[in-house]
Amino acid sequence: MEVEIAKEWRDLLGDEFEREYFKELIDFVGLEYSQYTIYPKESNIFRAFDKCSPQDVKVVIIGQDPYHGEGQANGLSFSVAEDIPLPPSLRNIFKEINSDLNTPIPSTGELDRWAEQGVLLLNSVLTVRQNSAGSHAKKGWEIFTDSVVRRVAEHNNGVVYMLWGAYAQKKAAFVDAEANCILKSVHPSPLSSYRGFFGCKHFSKANEYLQSMGKLPIIW
């Protein structure tokens, strides 16, 4: 399987693609695509990087693994294509934005508009087998996305990291909390959203921080 990722990210990540774990990961993923239905489609595996250059990153939102239902995953964490019904977690994200910023709930769950403003919508695991959540976990993707967060943190200060749930919060270990803004809450899943995601006001807090750093706020 060929790795097609934007040149700026390839330059930033350096020799990551030559490490043994990554070669084994790509061999595994390529075999999975040849034998099973895997999401997102192969051309969208690295779409989050195509939509947001490393020098433009203002916010990092970390998901777990892609949606595993038919037609849902599009390469951006939490995002779905225009014609796909809103998954529960994304619906809760929109509810919190509505409450926090008094903006209308969008009719579409496609989050390209966020990515194009500098929001890196990064899943910890970038592929998944159909109807099998977590099926590509612990195959090497986590090592790769740890490296992504580490390199972003090394080269960019004044970035907002939205870390929802214990899984995402592990990535805080790679970020200088004094040079960036780390926002933590429970995951927006219906199983946990009422235990602290609703009312977290992460979206207004993110914009206030970005403006304090002389950056344009995100139009959520």
Side-chain angles (χ1 to χ4, degrees):
M1 189 182 86
E2 291 294 320
V3 175
E4 296 185 8
I5 190 169
K7 182 181 183 299
E8 298 95 331
W9 284 103
R10 189 175 284 279
D11 292 344
L12 182 72
L13 293 167
D15 63 355
E16 199 69 29
F17 304 100
E18 303 306 318
R19 293 177 62 190
E20 193 60 33
Y21 90 87
F22 192 83
K23 293 177 181 178
E24 292 175 1
L25 168 65
I26 292 304
D27 287 345
F28 164 77
V29 171
L31 186 62
E32 285 281 291
Y33 272 97
S34 71
Q35 295 181 335
Y36 304 98
T37 299
I38 305 298
Y39 298 128
K41 63 182 182 180
E42 197 169 326
S43 60
N44 282 344
I45 294 175
F46 298 100
R47 188 164 175 264
F49 303 96
D50 296 334
K51 285 288 180 180
C52 182
S53 299
Q55 66 270 20
D56 295 330
V57 173
K58 296 194 288 188
V59 178
V60 178
I61 297 178
I62 296 175
Q64 193 157 340
D65 59 353
Y67 297 122
H68 54 80
E70 183 177 359
Q72 290 182 302
N74 67 5
L76 307 180
S77 64
F78 295 102
S79 178
V80 291
E82 279 190 7
D83 56 345
I84 300 295
L86 298 181
S89 291
L90 182 56
R91 185 177 299 278
N92 286 341
I93 290 169
F94 285 165
K95 284 181 180 178
E96 175 58 23
I97 294 172
N98 169 256
S99 171
D100 186 11
L101 300 175
N102 196 30
T103 55
I105 292 177
S107 58
T108 170
E110 188 174 69
L111 301 181
D112 289 42
R113 62 190 184 279
W114 292 4
E116 290 161 1
Q117 295 177 77
V119 181
L120 179 62
L121 292 162
L122 180 67
N123 279 317
S124 290
V125 175
L126 300 188
T127 54
V128 69
R129 195 183 294 179
Q130 184 181 35
N131 299 327
S132 184
S135 50
H136 286 187
K138 299 181 181 178
K139 302 295 185 182
W141 279 130
E142 296 92 338
I143 301 172
F144 175 72
T145 53
D146 282 354
S147 294
V148 170
V149 174
R150 187 184 294 110
R151 298 293 176 90
V152 168
E154 288 171 353
H155 289 82
N156 302 53
N157 286 333
V159 173
V160 179
Y161 292 82
M162 292 186 179
L163 306 179
W164 302 329
Y167 193 90
Q169 289 168 17
K170 293 176 183 177
K171 301 268 198 247
F174 309 119
V175 180
D176 181 350
E178 294 186 2
N180 300 278
C181 175
I182 299 177
L183 301 174
K184 297 180 180 180
S185 86
V186 298
H187 195 275
S189 158
L191 298 175
S192 56
S193 55
Y194 287 94
R195 300 202 305 268
F197 181 76
F198 289 136
C200 69
K201 298 189 180 298
H202 279 186
F203 302 93
S204 60
K205 290 176 181 177
N207 279 351
E208 288 166 6
Y209 178 79
L210 291 173
Q211 289 176 298
S212 77
M213 302 297 291
K215 300 179 182 182
L216 289 174
I218 304 298
I219 301 172
W220 298 106

